[in-house]
Amino acid sequence: MTQEHNNSADPLHAKKEAWSGRFSEPVAEFVLRYTQSVSFDKRMAMADIRGSLAHAEMLATCGVISQQDLDDIRRGMEQISNEIKTGKFLWQLELEDVHLNIEARLTQLIGDAGKRLHTGRSRNDQVATDLRLYLRDEVDQIILKLHHLQEVLVNQARREYNTIMPGFTHMQVAQPVTFGHHMLAYVEMFDRDRERMIDLRRRINRLPLGSAALAGTTYPIDRELTAKLLNFDGVAQNSLDAVSDRDFGIEFTAAASLIMIHISRLSEELVYWMCQRFSFIKLPDRFTTGSSIMPQKKNPDVPETARGKCARVVGDLMAMATLMKGLPLAYNKDLQEDKEPVFDAIDTVKDTLRAFIEMMDGVEPNRAEMRAAAAAGYPTATDLADYLARRGVPFRTAHDIVGRVVRLAGDRNCDISDLSLSELKSFSDVIEADVYQVLTLEGSVAARDHVGGTAPCQVLKQVQRWDSIFAERNKK
Ligand code: ARG
């Protein structure tokens, strides 16, 4: 987990007198270090302040605190925001977490009004609210990045709508496809990833605040008002559930894992496409690295790193799911462990998408190599079988005939289209001179002319479909 470390949060630098009266020294230091969360949850500081300001405004509106208290809290929080943004805020490990650090500073700055902020609230509903606020904004950024990656891939498809390459099954040349069609396959995957993020965002966007420690609060609060101030779609309807479930974190890391799984598939393809035996593509130099010993090397480090980083995000999902399993209602301190996996998944997915948006734009296909690879391995054998079937040969029989044609071509070390008409006719007399049209790569891809097929005209139709989807999205 990459977290910046602030010296002031290090117990060696902390003011010992703040806790030495309560703990026997060596144990206290270890326990503090062990149970603290401020070293990582200070990332949610702005969400914490936002949540507190909305809570205070609600309390003032409901007459629980005075207008003067609210004004003081606003003034104090303004200063604290500035201190945090300029790196002047003194984070203290002995104050355990982001919530207590900010509250202590507020009280230091404004006195009693700071002590009134926590009325009708617990850190249990506070932390659940902060994480939702924080994650909601990050999810929005991820949704936008997925959109940008889709745009880049659609533009590749536009440029390469009729670039022929081999399509593989079992990593064996199967049938020719177009590179544009291949790129659009990933556009579909990233679209489902985007939908998942949009969908889970709705479930993140419920307000826990007001649940207090676990049972609710005795103050006359207005949770709907707090929800409105914080742009939540509504309030969580059960306090025990609201403070204790982190299913939204599990959903998020699951959806993040799927993004990374899709990225890792693309990465794997980029890696082998770049290998000399394929030479299907060139990656921009700034996304590759050299070797410290072999001067000729250009390694696909970015795709390989991304393929590897998929593992850590899947690990984040495992951490979240395992954390939740068997936890009794309501809040348990275990839940503090929810943050690092969520933060790590956010960072990894955002960095990875950023790299792929730039890198995929710069992928240069080597059309001649792709075409040559598609030509080897009898990729139009299925087309010949379809040709025979169209002329009345039952498909299974046609399949068998073509298998024998392929064997002959293999013995001769040539392509099916290199066999003469009389040789082909010896396998079946329904074969005529027009057979050579279906044996070409261009004929093969063009024939798959239906929704979802690889025909260049279908690829262009898909490109247009995406263009209008993007135009619609950009309007919003
Ligand atoms: N740091 C804690 C967390 O992240 C905040 C809530 C603590 N509540 C408590 N009762 N100890 O979960």
Side-chain angles (χ1 to χ4, degrees):
M1 320 273 152
T2 49
Q3 289 292 325
E4 88 201 68
H5 271 284
N6 187 328
N7 272 349
S8 63
D10 183 327
L12 298 174
H13 296 265
K15 301 181 280 48
K16 289 203 164 43
E17 61 274 18
W19 45 263
S20 61
R22 296 197 302 174
F23 300 94
S24 70
E25 203 153 302
V27 179
E29 196 174 298
F30 167 72
V31 170
L32 270 177
R33 209 193 262 279
Y34 188 64
T35 57
Q36 63 86 29
S37 57
V38 66
S39 63
F40 51 86
D41 67 14
K42 63 183 176 195
R43 247 172 97 136
M44 305 192 302
M46 291 306 149
D48 192 69
I49 291 173
R50 250 189 103 186
S52 287
L53 288 173
H55 178 68
E57 186 174 338
M58 181 278 289
L59 290 179
T61 308
C62 297
V64 179
I65 62 172
S66 69
Q67 184 60 41
Q68 184 60 53
D69 288 334
L70 176 60
D71 291 344
D72 290 347
I73 289 169
R74 284 181 171 155
R75 178 170 48 82
M77 286 301 197
E78 171 90 34
Q79 177 168 340
I80 292 172
S81 285
N82 287 332
E83 288 176 359
I84 293 170
K85 284 182 198 144
T86 55
K88 293 197 185 102
F89 192 88
L90 185 69
W91 296 103
Q92 297 183 77
L93 192 86
E94 58 269 48
L95 290 174
E96 191 183 321
D97 56 27
V98 62
H99 324 291
L100 296 179
N101 267 270
I102 290 177
E103 192 185 319
R105 178 67 179 143
L106 185 69
T107 301
Q108 199 179 51
L109 289 170
I110 65 170
D112 281 355
K115 295 187 192 167
R116 288 197 190 99
L117 171 63
H118 211 52
T119 311
R121 185 176 76 168
S122 152
R123 271 186 299 155
N124 298 348
D125 58 345
Q126 186 178 0
V127 70
T129 303
D130 288 6
L131 187 58
R132 284 169 185 267
L133 279 174
Y134 182 84
L135 183 55
R136 187 178 75 183
D137 287 351
E138 297 290 342
V139 165
D140 286 340
Q141 291 181 40
I142 290 170
I143 291 169
L144 194 64
K145 282 188 158 43
L146 285 167
H147 166 74
H148 288 319
L149 180 54
Q150 286 184 303
E151 282 187 328
V152 163
L153 295 172
V154 166
N155 285 334
Q156 277 287 1
R158 193 190 321 275
R159 289 195 287 272
E160 309 299 334
Y161 74 101
N162 63 0
T163 301
I164 287 174
M165 69 181 286
F168 297 90
T169 60
H170 315 273
M171 276 301 280
Q172 307 283 313
V173 172
Q175 290 171 357
V177 295
T178 55
F179 187 61
H181 193 55
H182 200 115
M183 290 292 101
L184 290 179
Y186 285 101
V187 177
E188 295 290 332
M189 292 179 232
F190 294 127
D191 204 54
R192 292 193 295 276
D193 290 334
R194 190 177 163 276
E195 275 176 11
R196 266 185 282 274
M197 284 289 166
I198 291 169
D199 187 54
L200 67 88
R201 188 194 192 281
R202 292 189 300 121
R203 284 181 293 279
I204 294 176
N205 210 24
R206 299 267 155 198
L207 176 79
L209 221 51
S211 303
L214 75 164
T217 173
T218 55
Y219 295 93
I221 57 168
D222 180 352
R223 299 185 62 210
E224 296 290 346
L225 172 60
T226 317
K228 215 173 102 202
L229 293 171
L230 292 171
N231 286 326
F232 279 101
D233 294 332
V235 305
Q237 299 289 318
N238 183 292
S239 61
L240 296 165
D241 172 45
V243 293
S244 69
D245 207 344
R246 298 292 186 268
D247 55 356
F248 64 94
I250 300 177
E251 278 194 72
F252 170 73
T253 47
S257 294
L258 276 164
I259 294 175
M260 293 302 294
I261 288 167
H262 289 149
I263 287 275
S264 78
R265 298 182 69 193
L266 178 54
S267 296
E268 170 64 16
E269 299 203 305
L270 295 172
V271 169
Y272 86 74
W273 287 346
M274 246 188 95
C275 133
Q276 289 85 344
R277 282 296 174 114
F278 281 85
S279 295
F280 280 7
I281 57 161
K282 262 206 231 117
L283 283 189
D285 277 359
R286 63 185 187 284
F287 291 99
T288 60
T289 57
S291 155
S292 55
I293 176 167
M294 297 165 283
Q296 86 283 13
K297 292 276 269 184
K298 214 190 214 187
N299 295 327
D301 276 32
V302 172
E304 287 176 300
T305 305
R307 194 173 56 184
K309 282 193 187 289
C310 177
R312 59 188 291 159
V313 178
V314 173
D316 295 330
L317 165 62
M318 289 307 114
M320 288 301 294
T322 312
L323 175 66
M324 208 64 237
K325 185 203 167 290
L327 265 196
L329 305 191
Y331 179 85
N332 298 275
K333 178 82 169 178
D334 316 40
L335 289 172
Q336 181 168 288
E337 290 293 313
D338 62 355
K339 284 164 209 72
E340 284 169 296
V342 167
F343 294 163
D344 184 69
I346 290 170
D347 291 344
T348 309
V349 165
K350 278 169 65 185
D351 285 351
T352 303
L353 288 175
R354 183 193 159 173
F356 273 68
I357 289 165
E358 274 187 56
M359 185 173 66
M360 290 313 294
D361 195 37
V363 166
E364 264 181 59
N366 184 339
R367 296 179 185 138
E369 288 287 348
M370 282 186 176
R371 197 179 190 293
Y378 314 110
T380 58
T382 317
D383 299 80
L384 179 56
D386 287 343
Y387 174 92
L388 295 174
R390 274 198 303 275
R391 278 161 181 72
V393 182
F395 184 78
R396 276 289 156 237
T397 310
H399 184 279
D400 187 57
I401 292 171
V402 177
R404 285 185 281 118
V405 175
V406 166
R407 183 133 47 99
L408 174 66
D411 291 344
R412 297 260 185 90
N413 207 6
C414 70
D415 188 48
I416 307 176
S417 59
D418 296 325
L419 299 172
S420 70
L421 184 57
S422 61
E423 279 168 330
L424 287 171
K425 263 185 159 338
S426 73
F427 288 94
S428 166
D429 52 17
V430 303
I431 296 179
E432 302 294 343
D434 63 354
V435 73
Y436 291 101
Q437 277 154 35
V438 312
L439 294 180
T440 64
L441 298 173
E442 283 71 16
S444 174
V445 291
R448 283 156 175 83
D449 185 7
H450 56 76
V451 175
T454 197
C457 65
Q458 289 293 337
V459 173
L460 280 182
K461 272 191 199 160
Q462 291 289 335
V463 166
Q464 280 154 17
R465 185 174 71 84
W466 284 113
D467 281 347
S468 50
I469 290 172
F470 296 158
E472 207 46 48
R473 276 182 203 166
N474 287 333
K475 261 191 234 157
K476 286 180 197 152

